[in-house]
Amino acid sequence: EERLRQEAEEEAKRLEEEERREEARRLKKEKLRLKKEKQRLEGTYLSAKAKEEAKRLAAMREQLLRNAGVEVDTSSDRPKKVVYGKKKRRPQAEDSAPGEPEASETSETAGAENGQVGGAAAPEEPSMEEDSKSTGETEPMVEEEDWEDKDWDVELSSKDVDMDASGQEGEGGVESDAEASEEEEDSDEDESTYYSDSEEEREARIEEARERREARYRAALDARSLDNLRSPICCILGHVDTGKTKLLDKIRGTNVQDGEAGGITQQIGATFIPGEEIERRTHDVREVEDAGSINVPALLVIDTPGHESFTNLRSRGSGLCDIAILVVDIMHGLEQQTIESLNMLKMRKTPFVIALNKIDRLYGWEAIPDGHIRQSLAAQEPQVKKEYNDRLQKAMLALNEQGLNVAPYWENPDPRSYVNVVPTSAITGEGIPDMLHLLVHLTQTRMRERLMHVEYLQCTVLEVKKIEGIGTTIDVILINGTLREGDRIVVSGYDGPIVTQVRALLTPHPMREMRVKGSYLHHKEIRASQGVKIVANHLENALAGTQVMVLGPEDYLEDLKDEVQSEVEGVLSQVDKSGEGVCVQASTLGSLEALLEFLRSDDVKIPVSGISIGPVHKHDVMRASIMMEKAKEYAVILAFDVPVTKEAREFAQDVGVKIMTADIIYHLFDQFTAYMEQVKLEKKKEVEFDASFPCVMSIIPQYIFNKKDPIILGVEILAGTAKVGTPICVPNQDFLEIGRIASIEHNHQAVEKAYSGDSVCVKIQSTTALEASRAYGRHFDHTDELVSRISRHSINLLKDHFRDELTKDDWLLVLKLKSLFGIQ
């Protein structure tokens, strides 16, 4: 039943892939049609009839020249007119050798081939030279012709070729005249219709190469064997700080987690666990379970970050794996990223086991280092077992709420419908043998067909990294097939496909983490499954999350370029660059994507003007300094986990660019959030003089302290917010302007604002000589309301900078005042 389900899934995937390819072909044909249409409009496209007419005119011209006594030299040792940068397309000669290359070679190859066409038969043309000889024309007549009538390009090229091809005269030369004439006609035709023909031929070649590639893949699938299994790929997922890396550290016997900034994983990594090590670690469990031998060669574990910003890396890791480990903290239960990871696994239909980690933190737990879990549980006191059972039930209930049936793996009633739970401790190592045994057992019994090695390259880029002394490298997961040193690979890039040659294939030592700097093992050839660091040129713009393809002898480069670049749209949608904004730099592309995701979130919405991977140099600061003229607040470089050169730091201080650095991604977020708050405050201070808050005040007649400049009155706030600096007018007295609020006192305390319902004393200071002449009792009195003077400009400032300080009632008052002042 499982096999039938897998076959149905594979068939559905195949049909979906065929639909996608069919759609791609349709789009390409439509593009070709539009290109031809454009050429027709421009007058550069030649129809079949026009080509025939061109041939006829060329033949007529040649015959006229011959009849006029000009001998046209078309011997086999003279090539056609050289056309640089063009491709020659001509049907293969009938009697050419079986190993002769196809017609579509470059101009250099074309020149070499022209020396071999002397034996080609062309019965319709030889009469031309014989006709010219029969008229009695002799050789001197050619020498006496006017120099202006000669085609000097043809003459020079014929001399060059004569030097290289002497001795190839005779009978074959007559026959080759026709061949050369045809080539010359083809050349004229190609010069006019090169673009339309090359596009058609390119499409045909891509289609042929794709069919050959698909045939190779089908043949590789047919050649699979149950005796030849690859290593299962396992991904470890869960919330931040649940102990994912610590579990792997315990398996490896390393201390990667303590070396990470803040003890938090911020890059994706891979660990290769050999089969012998798994066999040694799981010996006791297999004896208890009465399990057979281990058939898989090894286990490849991908470690992903748990922090909320690294959704892209978790998604990339879960998309590669055959089976997954979902780590849940027994003390905290399900958390935000645990649920997110769970949904990813359900969406991708990836089998997984649940590691209920941190059991050593149960009060009174007696550890049995590296013991299997049933042995450890049996040795605990009753109160410890009770607490364990309580927390286990809570965790299982939370998982049930997410739509999962779960059970401890040794009590699992039906492994097909229940997810296995393994209690573990990353500190004492308890439960880890059970987890390894379960991973291997499930993969080699229920996923044998999926794990059969296919000799067809499937390789995905995990990360793009710069390494000192090596250069830019890509970390890849080799899922199927074989990689060799010297292979030509095609990788997706920001600016188009990257074609480069593998200089070195590096892997960490077994049981060591891929992302940690250290010594590497060099390989001439690597077989799947394995995490590999590829060293090659021009990888700076490579895109993580895309596939790597190897250019084989039967492959067409343009086909592979199209294939890898078809995936780029999804990745580039995350790595977006706009014209104005901050500059972002990170150590890896995955971290860069996480930063960009944060900056694009609804809470932040910060535009990005430039992105880069690697240390911050002076030229990066120069790029960021452009923002000083456009938007000063965006003259910032966010540098995550990368060093800043001394020259760059000094230059940044000189030009006013702010560089923020951090090793932990959310520390960088906090820094930038604080910076943006400061920028907002500075902007508010700049515009607060012009931003009039809406308010309506009534004068309390018994509290008139000063009638004329400054006017000091007791008022009650009827609506809105009275703020220091607000201009005040009297609408009933023809909008008489009396000055601005200089200060406010409430219960003998100076305040910046007074709200609706407050009774306060205000001091209104004049700003012009005319306002200074206004006086209470002469120009207005307590029967008049005092209203803040607003304008279209001040309303826009309130919207841009003070929106969070105004209530709904304040905005309703703004609408009333707009109609009062006649503002559009």
Side-chain angles (χ1 to χ4, degrees):
E1 188 185 334
E2 181 72 15
R3 186 175 60 79
L4 288 172
R5 186 181 63 78
Q6 286 182 353
E7 284 178 359
E9 284 180 5
E10 285 178 9
E11 180 67 17
K13 284 180 185 174
R14 188 183 64 77
L15 290 172
E16 188 180 336
E17 185 71 14
E18 283 181 4
E19 285 176 13
R20 187 183 67 76
R21 287 174 176 164
E22 190 62 38
E23 179 65 14
R25 290 187 200 115
R26 188 187 65 74
L27 290 172
K28 285 180 181 177
K29 285 178 182 175
E30 181 65 16
K31 184 180 173 185
L32 180 60
R33 187 186 66 76
L34 292 172
K35 189 168 186 179
K36 284 184 178 178
E37 193 66 33
K38 184 181 174 186
Q39 287 175 340
R40 285 194 184 97
L41 292 171
E42 291 172 352
T44 57
Y45 181 75
L46 287 182
S47 63
K49 188 175 179 181
K51 290 176 187 176
E52 288 297 325
E53 182 65 17
K55 284 184 181 180
R56 191 181 67 77
L57 290 172
M60 188 184 295
R61 174 180 171 277
E62 189 175 326
Q63 189 64 45
L64 286 170
L65 284 172
R66 290 182 186 281
N67 292 341
V70 178
E71 184 177 346
V72 181
D73 187 8
T74 57
S75 61
S76 62
D77 56 353
R78 192 207 69 196
K80 66 177 182 178
K81 182 177 175 180
V82 178
V83 182
Y84 294 103
K86 305 283 186 186
K87 290 183 179 179
K88 187 180 76 174
R89 290 166 297 285
R90 180 174 55 81
Q92 198 169 352
E94 289 175 13
D95 57 347
S96 60
E100 188 174 336
E102 291 182 12
S104 65
E105 299 291 335
T106 55
S107 55
E108 294 95 29
T109 315
E113 282 182 0
N114 283 335
Q116 301 174 7
V117 297
E124 68 278 1
E125 289 290 348
S127 59
M128 289 185 179
E129 191 172 33
E130 290 166 12
D131 288 345
S132 66
K133 288 179 180 176
S134 66
T135 57
E137 294 163 2
T138 57
E139 202 65 36
M141 289 183 70
V142 178
E143 294 176 4
E144 289 170 8
E145 70 181 4
D146 187 49
W147 66 274
E148 288 181 351
D149 293 333
K150 287 193 176 186
D151 187 344
W152 288 101
D153 285 339
V154 174
E155 290 292 322
L156 289 170
S157 62
S158 67
K159 285 180 182 178
D160 291 340
V161 176
D162 283 344
M163 293 173 68
D164 298 330
S166 58
Q168 295 188 7
E169 296 177 356
E171 216 170 19
V174 178
E175 292 179 334
S176 67
D177 287 347
E179 194 77 85
S181 176
E182 285 177 14
E183 284 183 21
E184 199 159 344
E185 290 167 11
D186 282 346
S187 174
D188 294 336
E189 174 187 323
D190 288 345
E191 284 186 54
S192 304
T193 63
Y194 170 73
Y195 292 106
S196 59
D197 283 354
S198 66
E199 188 65 30
E200 288 172 5
E201 185 174 312
R202 180 179 179 274
E203 292 297 324
R205 286 186 167 222
I206 287 175
E207 193 61 37
E208 289 171 13
R210 186 180 291 118
E211 286 171 4
R212 287 197 300 270
R213 189 155 47 82
E214 288 173 0
R216 282 207 313 276
Y217 180 58
R218 287 193 294 271
L221 284 176
D222 294 339
R224 292 182 303 171
S225 166
L226 287 170
D227 299 328
N228 183 16
L229 301 181
R230 63 174 174 82
S231 307
I233 300 172
C234 173
C235 182
I236 187 161
L237 301 162
H239 192 79
V240 62
D241 202 31
T242 52
K244 298 182 296 297
T245 306
K246 205 71 178 172
L247 274 172
L248 287 178
D249 274 340
K250 193 65 182 175
I251 295 170
R252 292 185 298 242
T254 58
N255 199 15
V256 170
Q257 190 254 341
D258 288 351
E260 293 174 323
I264 297 169
T265 300
Q266 301 180 78
Q267 296 174 12
I268 196 165
T271 302
F272 186 76
I273 306 173
E276 300 81 18
E277 180 67 18
I278 298 170
E279 199 156 344
R280 184 181 68 79
R281 297 290 288 270
T282 61
H283 180 266
D284 293 344
V285 182
R286 285 187 294 109
E287 279 189 354
V288 173
E289 291 286 322
D290 196 20
S293 61
I294 292 173
N295 297 328
V296 294
L299 192 63
L300 183 64
V301 183
I302 300 172
D303 186 16
T304 62
H307 187 260
E308 62 182 346
S309 301
F310 290 97
T311 305
N312 56 320
L313 296 189
R314 284 194 295 279
S315 177
R316 192 171 302 150
S318 63
L320 292 172
C321 62
D322 302 306
I323 193 166
I325 303 168
L326 182 66
V327 183
V328 178
D329 187 339
I330 195 171
M331 309 303 286
H332 295 112
L334 294 193
E335 294 170 281
Q336 184 186 346
Q337 270 64 59
T338 316
I339 295 168
E340 181 205 275
S341 301
L342 189 58
N343 291 333
M344 273 182 202
L345 294 171
K346 287 200 288 193
M347 180 186 73
R348 297 176 187 275
K349 296 181 179 175
T350 304
F352 63 97
V353 300
I354 295 170
L356 203 57
N357 199 28
K358 301 191 181 180
I359 55 170
D360 59 287
R361 291 184 62 186
L362 297 172
Y363 184 74
W365 182 270
E366 292 292 332
I368 300 176
D370 298 322
H372 61 83
I373 192 61
R374 278 175 283 180
Q375 178 188 6
S376 295
L377 284 172
Q380 302 308 315
E381 296 291 331
Q383 71 273 14
V384 179
K385 289 181 183 177
K386 184 177 182 304
E387 187 185 356
Y388 161 76
N389 285 322
D390 289 345
R391 292 191 181 275
L392 176 65
Q393 291 305 317
K394 284 180 185 175
M396 288 170 66
L397 180 62
L399 290 161
N400 293 154
E401 288 171 355
Q402 296 299 319
L404 288 180
N405 291 323
V406 293
Y409 82 93
W410 62 91
E411 296 175 1
N412 194 331
D414 181 10
R416 292 178 184 276
S417 57
Y418 279 73
V419 178
N420 291 295
V421 175
V422 187
T424 59
S425 167
I427 302 297
T428 65
E430 290 165 293
I432 288 177
D434 304 70
M435 187 177 71
L436 289 173
H437 163 69
L438 199 58
L439 290 173
V440 172
H441 177 70
L442 289 174
T443 50
Q444 71 183 21
T445 55
R446 301 188 182 279
M447 306 172 69
R448 285 175 70 81
E449 289 199 10
R450 179 169 176 165
L451 291 181
M452 287 193 290
H453 184 263
V454 180
E455 195 50 58
Y456 181 86
L457 191 79
Q458 285 178 277
C459 188
T460 301
V461 181
L462 277 187
E463 282 284 21
V464 183
K465 295 180 184 177
K466 280 186 179 176
I467 295 181
E468 194 174 337
I470 295 178
T472 305
T473 66
I474 52 175
D475 289 350
V476 303
I477 293 293
L478 182 59
I479 302 166
N480 264 316
T482 307
L483 266 177
R484 296 174 179 83
E485 196 176 285
D487 278 346
R488 282 188 79 196
I489 58 171
V490 185
V491 188
S492 295
Y494 291 121
D495 308 320
I498 299 165
V499 182
T500 184
Q501 191 168 22
V502 176
R503 285 168 40 212
L505 295 171
L506 310 176
T507 62
H509 290 263
M511 304 288 287
R512 288 294 178 269
E513 173 58 69
M514 189 176 190
R515 66 176 178 263
V516 176
K517 291 177 184 176
S519 60
Y520 293 100
L521 296 175
H522 288 252
H523 301 265
K524 292 290 181 188
E525 183 178 292
I526 294 182
R527 184 174 175 273
S529 300
Q530 180 64 280
V532 186
K533 188 179 288 293
I534 295 179
V535 183
N537 296 326
H538 317 303
L539 292 175
E540 292 79 11
N541 292 329
L543 283 169
T546 58
Q547 61 177 324
V548 177
M549 303 195 83
V550 170
L551 183 66
E554 296 181 10
D555 291 319
Y556 181 42
L557 181 59
E558 294 300 316
D559 169 39
L560 298 190
K561 283 183 178 180
D562 284 0
E563 188 71 23
V564 298
Q565 209 63 13
S566 64
E567 302 177 341
V568 171
E569 287 75 15
V571 180
L572 285 183
S573 65
Q574 295 187 357
V575 186
D576 186 25
K577 291 188 280 184
S578 56
E580 185 178 293
V582 299
C583 291
V584 178
Q585 293 205 208
S587 55
T588 67
L589 193 95
S591 306
L592 185 65
E593 287 175 308
L595 268 173
L596 293 169
E597 191 65 37
F598 167 75
L599 295 175
R600 201 170 56 245
S601 64
D602 293 336
D603 297 337
V604 184
K605 287 187 178 175
I606 301 298
V608 175
S609 64
I611 56 177
S612 185
I613 295 173
V616 179
H617 295 286
K618 184 178 176 181
H619 64 83
D620 298 311
V621 179
M622 292 174 73
R623 180 180 61 184
S625 66
I626 297 169
M627 288 298 119
M628 295 294 287
E629 299 169 6
K630 295 181 179 179
K632 191 175 178 182
E633 68 273 18
Y634 293 142
V636 178
I637 295 175
L638 301 182
F640 170 57
D641 197 24
V642 289
V644 181
T645 63
K646 184 181 177 184
E647 186 185 26
R649 202 175 286 282
E650 289 172 355
F651 185 66
Q653 288 176 349
D654 293 343
V655 297
V657 171
K658 193 170 182 65
I659 300 176
M660 298 181 186
T661 59
D663 291 334
I664 300 173
I665 201 162
Y666 52 78
H667 286 184
L668 194 63
F669 298 166
D670 294 343
Q671 278 187 50
F672 188 73
T673 306
Y675 168 74
M676 289 309 293
E677 287 296 323
Q678 185 185 342
V679 167
K680 282 182 184 176
L681 285 173
E682 289 174 0
K683 279 196 170 184
K684 280 184 180 181
K685 285 180 182 176
E686 286 176 13
V687 301
E688 66 182 354
F689 183 80
D690 296 325
S692 300
F693 275 62
C695 70
V696 178
M697 302 180 289
S698 65
I699 300 170
I700 305 173
Q702 61 268 35
Y703 295 111
I704 310 299
F705 301 106
N706 199 35
K707 295 183 178 182
K708 192 176 179 182
D709 191 30
I711 299 168
I712 302 174
L713 310 163
V715 297
E716 184 181 352
I717 313 298
L718 299 178
T721 304
K723 186 174 182 291
V724 173
T726 302
I728 302 297
C729 70
V730 186
N732 294 347
Q733 303 297 332
D734 200 20
F735 298 101
L736 182 77
E737 295 181 1
I738 58 174
R740 286 177 178 266
I741 298 176
S743 61
I744 303 173
E745 275 194 11
H746 188 219
N747 294 333
H748 302 289
Q749 296 291 323
V751 293
E752 284 292 311
K753 293 178 184 176
Y755 302 96
S756 178
D758 290 347
S759 294
V760 295
C761 179
V762 295
K763 175 183 177 183
I764 300 172
Q765 189 85 43
S766 62
T767 55
T768 65
L770 189 60
E771 288 176 358
S773 66
R774 318 287 194 208
Y776 175 81
R778 182 188 301 171
H779 298 95
F780 65 97
D781 59 24
H782 68 278
T783 60
D784 298 314
E785 287 184 344
L786 304 181
V787 177
S788 59
R789 177 70 172 158
I790 67 170
S791 63
R792 167 47 59 193
H793 177 58
S794 72
I795 293 171
N796 289 339
L797 291 176
L798 287 177
K799 287 179 179 177
D800 293 341
H801 303 289
F802 299 93
R803 187 182 290 273
D804 55 338
E805 295 184 30
L806 295 178
T807 65
K808 187 177 180 181
D809 291 337
D810 292 334
W811 287 113
L812 291 172
L813 182 59
V814 168
L815 291 174
K816 289 179 184 176
L817 295 182
K818 272 177 69 178
S819 59
L820 178 67
F821 290 105
I823 298 169
Q824 296 298 320

Coordinates of all heavy atoms in Angstrom, one line a residue, residues 555-581:
D555 N 24.8 17.2 -23.3 CA 23.9 18.3 -22.9 C 24.2 19.6 -23.8 O 25.3 19.8 -24.3 CB 24.2 18.7 -21.5 CG 23.7 17.6 -20.5 OD1 22.6 17.1 -20.8 OD2 24.4 17.3 -19.5
Y556 N 23.2 20.4 -23.9 CA 23.3 21.7 -24.6 C 23.2 22.8 -23.6 O 22.3 22.8 -22.7 CB 22.1 21.8 -25.6 CG 22.1 23.1 -26.4 CD1 23.2 23.6 -27.0 CD2 20.9 23.8 -26.6 CE1 23.2 24.7 -27.7 CE2 20.9 24.9 -27.4 CZ 22.0 25.4 -28.0 OH 22.0 26.6 -28.7
L557 N 24.2 23.6 -23.6 CA 24.4 24.6 -22.5 C 23.2 25.5 -22.3 O 22.7 25.8 -21.2 CB 25.6 25.5 -22.8 CG 26.0 26.5 -21.7 CD1 26.2 25.9 -20.4 CD2 27.2 27.3 -22.2
E558 N 22.6 25.9 -23.4 CA 21.4 26.8 -23.3 C 20.2 26.1 -22.6 O 19.5 26.8 -21.9 CB 21.0 27.3 -24.7 CG 22.0 28.2 -25.4 CD 22.3 29.4 -24.6 OE1 21.4 30.1 -24.1 OE2 23.5 29.8 -24.5
D559 N 20.1 24.8 -22.8 CA 19.0 24.1 -22.2 C 19.2 24.1 -20.7 O 18.3 24.4 -19.9 CB 19.0 22.6 -22.7 CG 18.1 21.7 -21.9 OD1 17.0 22.2 -21.5 OD2 18.5 20.6 -21.7
L560 N 20.4 23.9 -20.2 CA 20.7 23.9 -18.7 C 20.6 25.3 -18.1 O 20.1 25.4 -17.0 CB 22.1 23.3 -18.5 CG 22.4 21.9 -18.9 CD1 23.7 21.4 -18.4 CD2 21.3 20.9 -18.4
K561 N 20.9 26.3 -18.9 CA 20.8 27.7 -18.4 C 19.3 28.0 -18.2 O 18.9 28.5 -17.2 CB 21.4 28.6 -19.4 CG 22.9 28.7 -19.4 CD 23.3 29.8 -20.4 CE 24.8 30.0 -20.4 NZ 25.3 31.0 -21.3
D562 N 18.5 27.6 -19.2 CA 17.0 27.8 -19.1 C 16.5 27.1 -17.9 O 15.6 27.6 -17.1 CB 16.3 27.4 -20.3 CG 16.5 28.4 -21.5 OD1 17.2 29.4 -21.2 OD2 16.0 28.2 -22.6
E563 N 16.9 25.9 -17.7 CA 16.4 25.0 -16.6 C 16.7 25.6 -15.2 O 15.8 25.7 -14.4 CB 17.0 23.6 -16.7 CG 16.4 22.6 -15.8 CD 15.0 22.2 -16.2 OE1 14.6 22.3 -17.4 OE2 14.2 21.7 -15.3
V564 N 18.0 26.0 -15.0 CA 18.3 26.5 -13.7 C 17.7 27.9 -13.4 O 17.3 28.2 -12.3 CB 19.9 26.6 -13.4 CG1 20.5 25.2 -13.5 CG2 20.5 27.5 -14.4
Q565 N 17.6 28.7 -14.5 CA 17.1 30.1 -14.3 C 15.6 30.1 -14.1 O 15.0 31.1 -13.6 CB 17.5 30.9 -15.5 CG 17.7 32.4 -15.1 CD 18.8 32.7 -14.1 OE1 19.6 31.8 -13.9 NE2 18.8 33.9 -13.6
S566 N 14.9 29.0 -14.5 CA 13.4 28.9 -14.3 C 13.0 29.0 -12.8 O 11.9 29.3 -12.5 CB 12.9 27.7 -15.0 OG 13.4 26.5 -14.3
E567 N 14.0 28.6 -11.9 CA 13.7 28.6 -10.5 C 13.9 30.0 -9.8 O 13.6 30.2 -8.7 CB 14.6 27.6 -9.8 CG 14.4 26.2 -10.3 CD 15.4 25.2 -9.6 OE1 16.4 25.7 -9.0 OE2 15.2 24.0 -9.6
V568 N 14.6 30.9 -10.6 CA 15.1 32.1 -9.9 C 14.0 33.0 -9.5 O 14.2 33.7 -8.5 CB 16.1 32.8 -10.9 CG1 16.5 34.2 -10.4 CG2 17.3 32.0 -11.1
E569 N 12.9 33.0 -10.2 CA 11.9 34.0 -9.9 C 11.5 34.0 -8.4 O 11.3 35.0 -7.8 CB 10.6 33.8 -10.8 CG 10.8 34.3 -12.2 CD 11.7 33.3 -13.1 OE1 11.9 32.2 -12.6 OE2 12.2 33.7 -14.1
G570 N 11.3 32.7 -7.9 CA 10.9 32.6 -6.5 C 11.9 33.1 -5.5 O 11.5 33.7 -4.5
V571 N 13.2 32.8 -5.8 CA 14.2 33.3 -4.9 C 14.4 34.8 -5.0 O 14.5 35.5 -3.9 CB 15.5 32.5 -5.2 CG1 16.6 33.0 -4.2 CG2 15.3 31.0 -5.1
L572 N 14.4 35.3 -6.2 CA 14.6 36.8 -6.3 C 13.5 37.6 -5.8 O 13.6 38.8 -5.4 CB 14.8 37.1 -7.8 CG 16.2 36.8 -8.4 CD1 16.2 37.3 -9.8 CD2 17.3 37.3 -7.6
S573 N 12.3 37.0 -5.6 CA 11.2 37.7 -5.0 C 11.5 38.0 -3.6 O 11.0 39.0 -3.0 CB 9.9 36.9 -5.2 OG 10.0 35.7 -4.4
Q574 N 12.3 37.2 -2.9 CA 12.7 37.4 -1.5 C 13.9 38.4 -1.5 O 14.0 39.1 -0.5 CB 13.1 36.1 -0.9 CG 11.9 35.2 -0.7 CD 12.3 34.0 0.1 OE1 13.5 33.8 0.6 NE2 11.4 33.1 0.4
V575 N 14.8 38.4 -2.5 CA 15.9 39.2 -2.5 C 15.6 40.4 -3.4 O 16.0 40.4 -4.6 CB 17.2 38.5 -2.9 CG1 18.4 39.3 -2.8 CG2 17.4 37.2 -2.1
D576 N 14.9 41.4 -2.9 CA 14.4 42.4 -3.7 C 15.2 43.7 -3.5 O 15.5 44.0 -2.3 CB 12.9 42.7 -3.4 CG 12.2 43.7 -4.3 OD1 12.8 43.8 -5.5 OD2 11.3 44.3 -3.9
K577 N 15.5 44.4 -4.6 CA 16.2 45.7 -4.4 C 15.4 46.8 -5.0 O 14.9 46.8 -6.1 CB 17.5 45.6 -5.1 CG 18.5 44.7 -4.5 CD 19.9 44.7 -5.1 CE 19.9 44.0 -6.4 NZ 21.3 44.0 -7.0
S578 N 15.2 47.9 -4.2 CA 14.5 49.1 -4.7 C 15.5 50.2 -4.8 O 16.6 50.1 -4.4 CB 13.4 49.4 -3.8 OG 13.8 49.6 -2.5
G579 N 15.1 51.3 -5.4 CA 16.0 52.4 -5.7 C 16.5 53.2 -4.5 O 17.5 53.8 -4.5
E580 N 15.7 53.2 -3.4 CA 16.0 54.0 -2.3 C 15.9 53.2 -1.0 O 14.9 52.6 -0.8 CB 15.1 55.2 -2.2 CG 15.4 56.2 -1.2 CD 14.4 57.4 -1.3 OE1 14.5 58.1 -2.3 OE2 13.6 57.6 -0.4
G581 N 16.9 53.2 -0.1 CA 16.8 52.5 1.2 C 18.1 52.2 1.7 O 19.2 52.7 1.3

